[in-house]
Amino acid sequence: MDRSNETSPVSHFILLGLSAHPKLEKTFFVLILLTYLVILLGNGVLILATVLDSHLHTPMYFFLGNLSFLDICYTTSSIPLVLDGFLTPRKTISFSGCAVQMFLSFAMGSTECVLLGMMAFDRYVAICNPLRFPVVMNKAAYVPMAASSWASGIITATVQISLAMRLPFFGDNVINHFTCEILAVLKLACADISINVISMGVANVIFLGVPVLFIFVSYIFILSTILRIPSAEGRKKAFSTCSAHLTVVIVFYGTILFMYGKPKSKDPWGADKQDLTDKLISLFYGVLNPMLNPIIYSLRNKDVKAAVRNLLRQKHFKW
């Protein structure tokens, strides 16, 4: 090994991806590409529907449009890099490019957590205080709520990535992942990362723990209110207005819980298989929610289905 490389600052990183399993690369390239196209199409149509259909100019659909735009940004920050990695053995990415990719992924993930909490509050007011809903959730309230979700995600990403990129990196520049995943990058640092770990722990509590608690409490009040509705039809109608959001929340946090809570294999002979499984789970976590969100909201919401049909009908007549 060239000793000079061990003392030279890292100028780029090497992303291993599936380079150890070349037979899988073409299969997953096609699979992830198709999934990415579905994400762009589904979320793009949902954004157009919420913007162009006046019936969807309400707080819930404004948040939904933000969620769809966020999912497009989140996947676009990583999926093209992943696809390129499937075609390029030992894909390289510059130090600055890695920082940008980490920033976008971290910012979008944090923003989505807060945004789901804002959407829960919208459903809480709509069901538990319907008479006050036009006053509480007016445009002067829900636009700043969405903006604060984006701002908080950007701020925490700026802090985390700034702390990570200030660390010294020498010699080892191989990331055993598809993208510049922040924990994988921190493992390569030639310095103590205790501050980074503590900072990320605090961020996880704020952006994962607090929104989950807020959503949980909101839905306790929502379900309590729904169960007090005397008619079965009224209960069904009330629950249908929040079922799509509840499904998205369960899928989003359920996949996070599965990804980080599943037991690790103790078999040393199965380390390579475990490593491959962990990377694939992480990869599909990044595309599963953005793909499912527009499908869930389209299938479980009559207003969205009607808006999409009207949008497609208008495009058909224009052609």
Side-chain angles (χ1 to χ4, degrees):
M1 182 182 294
D2 185 356
R3 300 291 297 179
S4 62
N5 289 336
E6 297 182 6
T7 57
S8 301
V10 169
S11 60
H12 66 277
F13 293 100
I14 297 173
L15 303 172
L16 289 186
L18 288 177
S19 57
H21 307 274
K23 293 182 180 179
L24 296 177
E25 290 186 317
K26 290 183 180 179
T27 301
F28 279 100
F29 174 84
V30 174
L31 186 59
I32 298 301
L33 176 61
L34 291 176
T35 304
Y36 182 51
L37 293 176
V38 170
I39 290 170
L40 294 179
L41 178 63
N43 286 287
V45 169
L46 210 51
I47 291 171
L48 287 176
T50 57
V51 171
L52 299 178
D53 195 308
S54 59
H55 296 95
L56 301 186
H57 290 175
T58 64
M60 181 174 72
Y61 297 115
F62 178 76
F63 288 133
L64 179 56
N66 274 264
L67 183 64
S68 292
F69 180 67
L70 186 150
D71 284 339
I72 290 176
C73 293
Y74 179 76
T75 52
T76 301
S77 71
S78 58
I79 297 303
L81 183 64
V82 172
L83 294 174
D84 189 26
F86 286 143
L87 301 177
T88 308
R90 294 175 68 84
K91 167 70 181 175
T92 62
I93 182 172
S94 67
F95 190 85
S96 58
C98 186
V100 170
Q101 192 263 309
M102 283 196 298
F103 171 81
L104 292 174
S105 295
F106 207 101
M108 298 304 108
S110 301
T111 300
E112 183 159 1
C113 292
V114 179
L115 193 60
L116 289 174
M118 298 294 186
M119 295 172 78
F121 178 75
D122 169 73
R123 293 299 83 206
Y124 162 76
V125 177
I127 293 174
C128 299
N129 297 282
L131 297 180
R132 296 192 61 203
F133 182 78
V135 177
V136 176
M137 293 301 294
N138 55 42
K139 193 171 184 179
Y142 67 76
V143 172
M145 287 170 66
S148 65
S149 299
W150 286 91
S152 60
I154 291 171
I155 290 171
T156 189
T158 301
V159 172
Q160 301 303 329
I161 305 309
S162 296
L163 288 174
M165 291 297 100
R166 290 172 61 185
L167 294 169
F169 293 89
F170 298 98
D172 189 6
N173 66 340
V174 178
I175 299 175
N176 189 21
H177 211 279
F178 295 103
T179 62
C180 289
E181 200 271 332
I182 189 166
L183 291 177
V185 172
L186 289 177
K187 290 179 181 178
L188 303 179
C190 302
D192 182 21
I193 60 171
S194 299
I195 294 178
N196 302 78
V197 173
I198 293 172
S199 177
M200 289 187 64
V202 172
N204 285 337
V205 170
I206 296 173
F207 289 93
L208 282 175
V210 173
V212 166
L213 181 61
F214 184 80
I215 292 168
F216 179 73
V217 172
S218 296
Y219 271 99
I220 288 178
F221 285 108
I222 289 171
L223 292 176
S224 176
T225 301
I226 291 175
L227 292 175
R228 290 200 302 268
I229 298 176
S231 67
E233 184 64 28
R235 290 194 296 270
K236 181 180 178 181
K237 184 177 180 181
F239 185 74
S240 67
T241 63
C242 61
S243 60
H245 174 257
L246 183 58
T247 304
V248 167
V249 167
I250 292 173
V251 171
F252 180 77
Y253 286 105
T255 51
I256 292 177
L257 183 63
F258 174 77
M259 186 168 65
Y260 291 106
K262 65 182 181 63
K264 300 291 185 181
S265 174
K266 296 182 180 180
D267 180 13
W269 298 102
D272 289 341
K273 186 179 292 186
Q274 179 72 41
D275 177 63
L276 175 62
T277 302
D278 289 345
K279 286 198 288 187
L280 291 179
I281 289 175
S282 176
L283 175 63
F284 280 101
Y285 163 73
V287 298
L288 180 64
N289 292 313
M291 182 184 70
L292 290 180
N293 287 349
I295 296 175
I296 292 170
Y297 272 99
S298 298
L299 292 178
R300 303 186 67 88
N301 192 296
K302 292 185 293 184
D303 293 335
V304 173
K305 285 192 286 187
V308 171
R309 281 197 297 267
N310 291 336
L311 181 63
L312 295 176
R313 193 178 298 120
Q314 291 173 6
K315 294 294 182 182
H316 175 72
F317 285 135
K318 287 182 179 181
W319 282 101

